[in-house]
Amino acid sequence: MTKNSLQYLKGVGPAKAKLFEKLEISTLTDLLHYYPRTYQDRRLNQPPNDYNSSQLTVFKGRVLNGREVPARSVLIFKAVLEDEKGRQIECTWFKKRMFGRFRFDPFYQLKKDFKINAEVWVIGRPENRNNFFGDKINVDEYYPISDPQCALHAGRITPVYALTEGLTNKQFRQFMHEALQTDTLNKEPEILPPSLLQKRKLLGSAQALKGIHFPGSLTELDAAKARLAYEEFLLLATAWGIKRTQTKVLEKGYRYTLKRTLLTPFRQNLGFDFTNSQKHVINEIFRDLQSPRPMNRLLQGDVGSGKTVVALSAMLLAAENGYQSALMAPTEILAEQHFITFGKLLKSLGVKTAILTSSTKAAAKKKILKELAEGKIQIIVGTHSLIQDDVQFANLRLAVIDEQHRFGVRQRSLLKEKTAKLDLLTMTATPIPRTLALAFYGDLEVSTISELPPGRQPIKTESATEKLAFMRVAQEVQNGRQAYIVYPLIEESEKISAKAVSEEFEKLKTVFPQFKLAMLHGQMSQEEKEAVMADFAAHKTDILVATPVIEVGIDVKNATVMVIENAERFGLASLHQLRGRVGRGEHESYCILVPQHTGSVAKERVDIICRTSDGFKIGERDMQLRGPGEILGTRQSGELEFKAGDFFKDRDILTWAIQDRDELLSQDPSLSQPQHALFKARLIELYEKNWHLIDLS
Ligand code: ADP
Ligand code: MG
């Protein structure tokens, strides 16, 4: 057993170690770097503050009496405590009555701990909300003063960890406390150069770890967080900084020239003129493509702003030059729709397109792979399937990623890996505020489509009951329009959601017997999905009942009502995207949110959507409510997850990190000076493995 092993801790055996594995903690070092999810202020007589959830009651007192109370259906234990100031509180515990089966007294421990005159901390939630420091609470945790561990849990700012079943916060705090006493903490390397520690007045690494887990004060907590956040930001900023210098000198070795053999007929066949904003971003993109360096551009534009034709213009420029291009979409349905759109727009141009997804049949796939490798296919549309190993291109030059926020960082970089010097265009309707994007990506250029095509009417958005929503659906369908009714994903599982939607679908058929309904969910086969979408697009069906598979991209102009069931379960960006499925044609359109339960954040989201139509503002609020990691798609992929830092709240620290990164790299571009050795080692450990884009050797 190494000194860094978890089993070095008292009470951690193989079974516990398994639970820790689930949290990706396999060593003491990992444990020390597993930061609290939040904190509870369990100091007494402290003014309320940020770390305190207002509903938490923390009370230290002497037991006046503690006893089992006779009751019929449940077992109840009550204890009354009194503090120094004479304030009293009544605590209640319930246990299920188990007839004839229990062998021991369920209140045995409570009776022992709540003897008259014993001193105890209790932490709980008031039974009656209006009676805050009143009398009755349900106890979450309690700690007898006589317990030597008491000071870890009560009378302090107490860490609360995100854990897994089988581990309690009480145990975890004790393990953490023990881990902090081991040699591992003292051996924790200081990776930040001393000059930066001094300049920014940051805590040392060991001190910061102590402070993040068991802060003695809010000031100490802030200092610990600042140090750890700074470290994370500096590492990431430096990684991107290095990448930036590397791509700056990179020459892609080919150029595009504007021939207009395809672009001119394309514009003539389009049926509309580009908006000024579209023209502007097309110019930016074309300038990149004509330059000797690889493009890395983010195209942001609100839902419905017309990003697809912009991307297609770039892809046609590639085709004019004899190059292949690929468009990767996050869902099959969206890929399918792009494929159909491209087919229509390119019909008379003689450009060869194809689609590749995981449900492409083996024979068809074989043919497509062959034609890609031979360079016969000029434009390919697809899903993740495009980045699989067996896909080889003759001369892929341009990759477009639609709805890039839906992809993990790794997937994005994999596509880029296909050929190192690829031109990359990523598109999103969930914009990242510009400064953040620049800081985050370092070498990313950003183009913005700032206007919608002319003639769009704002979508009337409201929160209403299901009954009212269905009345609107009936009315619109009677007038010849179409509607979507969307149900949320349940527990992240498409399977269960599909079942739930199927059940609702049967019910809805009886609600709308006079209309044609169709259903769409992720468990259906590609053919089924295609058929359903095609029927809906051709108005062979009136109402589409769906899971959020239709969230992105779907474009049916005759659809004018979007009903979102259980709206509180959707994030802001999803709600905005779903709403963007209607209001695409000349008809007035409606988005009706039908919330079920409304917590405060959920209610806030629904309110924001009803009030705001600007996707950029919604994006900012979304970031505040959810945190940027999730939005950037990094949380799931885990590569760029910030543990201590918060992009949104820690702007100042982010700014420091960017400034210091620039200084650091200008003094020591390859980080070869001895005082930067540990920092460099950590950088390599963090990013080189996962992140093929950076070469730190
Ligand atoms: P998004 O930016 O959300 O991907 P799309 O590219 O799907 O938006 O465009 C939405 C709709 O607007 C499509 O039906 C598209 O044909 C249409 N559209 C795009 N540009 C224009 C324009 N300049 N004028 C009129 N309609 C346009
Ligand atoms: Mg789109």
Side-chain angles (χ1 to χ4, degrees):
M1 197 162 70
T2 70
K3 277 270 159 139
N4 203 2
S5 164
L6 277 181
Q7 299 197 24
Y8 190 68
L9 299 177
K10 274 196 293 289
V12 179
K16 275 267 146 47
K18 273 232 171 68
L19 294 176
F20 279 103
E21 282 296 336
K22 279 198 192 162
L23 304 173
E24 291 174 16
I25 300 172
S26 43
T27 63
L28 285 177
T29 308
D30 295 340
L31 181 61
L32 292 177
H33 287 272
Y34 195 82
Y35 307 143
R37 176 173 59 83
T38 181
Y39 300 83
Q40 288 180 347
D41 192 344
R42 298 186 179 176
R43 299 169 297 178
L44 267 188
N45 304 325
Q46 296 291 339
N49 58 67
D50 292 348
Y51 297 101
N52 197 350
S53 110
S54 61
Q55 295 300 324
L56 193 75
T57 299
V58 180
F59 192 89
K60 185 170 87 164
R62 216 165 38 82
V63 178
L64 294 184
N65 62 65
R67 66 204 154 84
E68 199 170 334
V69 183
R72 206 168 288 164
S73 52
V74 288
L75 299 172
I76 298 177
F77 186 87
K78 277 186 195 283
V80 177
L81 303 183
E82 186 181 72
D83 75 357
E84 295 153 350
K85 293 184 182 151
R87 291 180 297 192
Q88 291 188 3
I89 201 163
E90 184 185 275
C91 310
T92 316
W93 287 263
F94 296 98
K95 284 261 155 54
K96 263 215 196 88
R97 188 185 281 279
M98 290 194 288
F99 289 100
R101 300 201 61 212
F102 54 91
R103 298 194 195 98
F104 57 89
D105 179 357
F107 295 132
Y108 175 76
Q109 193 63 41
L110 283 174
K111 284 176 184 163
K112 241 175 94 175
D113 292 333
F114 286 80
K115 291 222 169 88
I116 290 176
N117 279 335
E119 273 198 281
V120 189
W121 285 91
V122 290
I123 293 118
R125 317 265 149 192
E127 251 179 49
N128 177 355
R129 276 162 192 255
N130 304 328
N131 207 350
F132 175 55
F133 218 127
D135 30 15
K136 293 182 178 157
I137 68 162
N138 293 319
V139 176
D140 295 336
E141 296 170 38
Y142 75 86
Y143 300 96
I145 294 259
S146 56
D147 178 348
Q149 300 274 18
C150 180
L152 291 183
H153 311 288
R156 62 170 311 121
I157 299 161
T158 310
V160 178
Y161 298 89
L163 298 176
T164 181
E165 209 181 313
L167 278 172
T168 64
N169 258 292
K170 181 174 177 183
Q171 294 168 331
F172 201 82
R173 284 195 283 267
Q174 283 164 5
F175 291 135
M176 188 64 79
H177 183 69
E178 211 187 321
L180 284 165
Q181 315 303 312
T182 63
D183 221 24
T184 307
L185 182 73
N186 304 326
K187 293 216 181 91
E188 175 72 21
E190 180 52 77
I191 65 163
L192 293 181
S195 60
L196 290 181
L197 283 176
Q198 242 171 23
K199 175 175 168 194
R200 301 298 183 188
K201 300 196 174 50
L202 297 168
L203 295 185
S205 55
Q207 218 187 335
L209 285 177
K210 272 191 189 153
I212 196 97
H213 292 294
F214 291 105
S217 64
L218 293 180
T219 323
E220 190 185 342
L221 178 57
D222 283 341
K225 276 189 171 171
R227 142 79 207 216
L228 296 168
Y230 175 85
E231 177 181 319
E232 285 181 315
F233 290 158
L234 185 69
L235 281 162
L236 182 67
T238 308
W240 279 110
I242 290 172
K243 176 173 179 275
R244 185 176 55 190
T245 26
Q246 284 170 355
T247 38
K248 266 207 181 123
V249 297
L250 203 65
E251 296 240 354
K252 58 190 176 195
Y254 56 90
R255 294 264 191 113
Y256 304 71
T257 49
L258 207 52
K259 304 195 168 139
R260 302 190 195 278
T261 50
L262 295 173
L263 284 165
T264 303
F266 168 66
R267 282 185 73 161
Q268 282 163 352
N269 292 348
L270 203 51
F272 52 76
D273 291 327
F274 287 133
T275 60
N276 286 332
S277 224
Q278 283 171 316
K279 285 183 199 155
H280 183 76
V281 300
I282 288 173
N283 274 332
E284 289 177 325
I285 293 166
F286 279 22
R287 212 182 312 128
D288 284 358
L289 292 175
Q290 289 167 281
S291 100
R293 281 175 245 308
M295 170 169 80
N296 187 10
R297 188 170 282 278
L298 173 74
L299 173 59
Q300 49 179 26
D302 206 347
V303 179
S305 61
K307 295 184 287 295
T308 315
V309 288
V310 170
L312 189 52
S313 304
M315 296 174 92
L316 285 174
L317 180 62
E320 280 185 355
N321 283 271
Y323 303 144
Q324 290 174 303
S325 56
L327 183 143
M328 185 159 87
T331 66
E332 286 189 6
I333 290 179
L334 185 53
E336 182 67 32
Q337 183 183 271
H338 280 321
F339 180 64
I340 294 169
T341 308
F342 285 13
K344 269 190 223 143
L345 293 173
L346 304 180
K347 202 161 37 186
S348 54
L349 302 187
V351 176
K352 188 159 169 62
T353 58
I355 179 166
L356 187 65
T357 70
S358 56
S359 30
T360 307
K361 291 269 158 54
K365 181 172 175 185
K366 204 171 151 201
K367 182 158 177 272
I368 290 170
L369 291 185
K370 184 161 170 281
E371 291 181 344
L372 273 180
E374 288 168 350
K376 283 194 186 139
I377 293 170
Q378 291 152 290
I379 291 182
I380 181 114
V381 177
T383 53
H384 302 87
S385 302
L386 290 176
I387 51 178
Q388 256 124 45
D389 284 342
D390 55 355
V391 184
Q392 299 295 331
F393 294 88
N395 59 355
L396 178 67
R397 297 286 194 236
L398 169 65
V400 181
I401 302 185
D402 196 13
E403 309 292 347
Q404 65 96 34
H405 61 283
R406 292 298 206 87
F407 290 98
V409 172
R410 187 174 305 172
Q411 290 160 335
R412 279 179 249 164
S413 52
L414 265 178
L415 187 57
K416 181 130 175 136
E417 276 240 303
K418 280 266 161 200
T419 53
K421 297 169 181 178
L422 207 58
D423 288 301
L424 186 63
L425 179 67
T426 49
M427 307 200 286
T428 185
T430 304
I432 314 150
R434 190 183 159 79
T435 45
L436 219 59
L438 291 178
F440 197 76
Y441 293 105
D443 67 336
L444 186 81
E445 307 291 335
V446 182
S447 289
T448 305
I449 304 182
S450 52
E451 61 186 326
L452 293 178
R456 295 277 169 83
Q457 301 182 32
I459 300 157
K460 295 208 163 135
T461 307
E462 59 183 4
S463 170
T465 61
E466 189 173 63
K467 194 168 163 211
L468 285 173
F470 287 174
M471 278 166 63
R472 173 68 72 188
V473 169
Q475 189 187 342
E476 286 294 301
V477 175
Q478 236 135 36
N479 289 338
R481 306 283 84 75
Q482 289 161 280
Y484 299 99
I485 302 177
V486 176
Y487 291 88
L489 277 185
I490 296 163
E491 285 161 10
E492 311 280 311
S493 153
E494 265 287 340
K495 231 187 197 137
I496 305 174
S497 311
K499 188 166 165 282
V501 165
S502 310
E503 282 165 15
E504 296 295 343
F505 182 60
E506 293 308 317
K507 276 190 232 156
L508 288 171
K509 278 202 230 164
T510 63
V511 178
F512 300 108
Q514 70 277 40
F515 303 135
K516 293 199 201 71
L517 276 68
M519 174 171 59
L520 192 69
H521 59 70
Q523 292 287 297
M524 292 160 56
S525 76
Q526 175 72 3
E527 279 100 23
E528 286 174 302
K529 283 191 253 182
E530 271 170 37
V532 168
M533 275 317 298
D535 283 352
F536 191 69
H539 200 172
K540 289 186 189 153
T541 48
D542 302 309
I543 302 174
L544 190 60
V545 182
T547 57
V549 287
I550 61 153
E551 178 180 319
V552 287
I554 299 302
D555 187 35
V556 176
K557 291 190 168 52
N558 192 46
T560 53
V561 195
M562 166 63 69
V563 176
I564 306 177
E565 299 273 358
N566 292 74
E568 78 282 357
R569 296 239 205 134
F570 291 85
L572 270 181
S574 293
L575 289 173
H576 184 61
Q577 283 275 0
L578 281 169
R579 169 168 61 185
R581 298 311 112 219
V582 295
R584 304 197 141 233
E586 62 204 295
H587 307 288
E588 168 131 88
S589 295
Y590 306 87
C591 175
I592 307 169
L593 309 175
V594 183
Q596 291 263 304
H597 315 281
T598 35
S600 63
V601 172
K603 191 166 176 310
E604 195 178 345
R605 280 203 300 262
V606 170
D607 287 349
I608 291 169
I609 285 290
C610 291
R611 278 200 319 267
T612 323
S613 59
D614 180 338
F616 285 46
K617 290 208 183 100
I618 289 171
E620 289 232 350
R621 291 295 289 127
D622 200 27
M623 178 121 44
Q624 284 168 330
L625 291 174
R626 283 201 300 163
E630 224 172 297
I631 288 167
L632 294 166
T634 56
R635 190 140 293 166
Q636 307 92 311
S637 61
E639 288 153 46
L640 304 174
E641 198 166 319
F642 289 97
K643 297 198 292 184
D646 180 323
F647 254 145
F648 211 83
K649 294 187 190 131
D650 302 328
R651 288 284 180 100
D652 294 350
I653 301 174
L654 187 64
T655 313
W656 287 356
I658 292 165
Q659 280 171 8
D660 294 350
R661 178 266 318 265
D662 290 343
E663 256 170 57
L664 185 69
L665 289 180
S666 71
Q667 284 162 18
D668 185 9
S670 59
L671 300 179
S672 52
Q673 293 166 15
Q675 72 272 28
H676 300 145
L678 285 173
F679 185 73
K680 182 175 181 175
R682 184 100 181 97
L683 204 56
I684 290 175
E685 184 192 335
L686 270 184
Y687 296 123
E688 202 185 44
K689 248 187 311 175
N690 301 332
W691 206 5
H692 324 270
L693 295 178
I694 303 182
D695 178 10
L696 290 164
S697 49

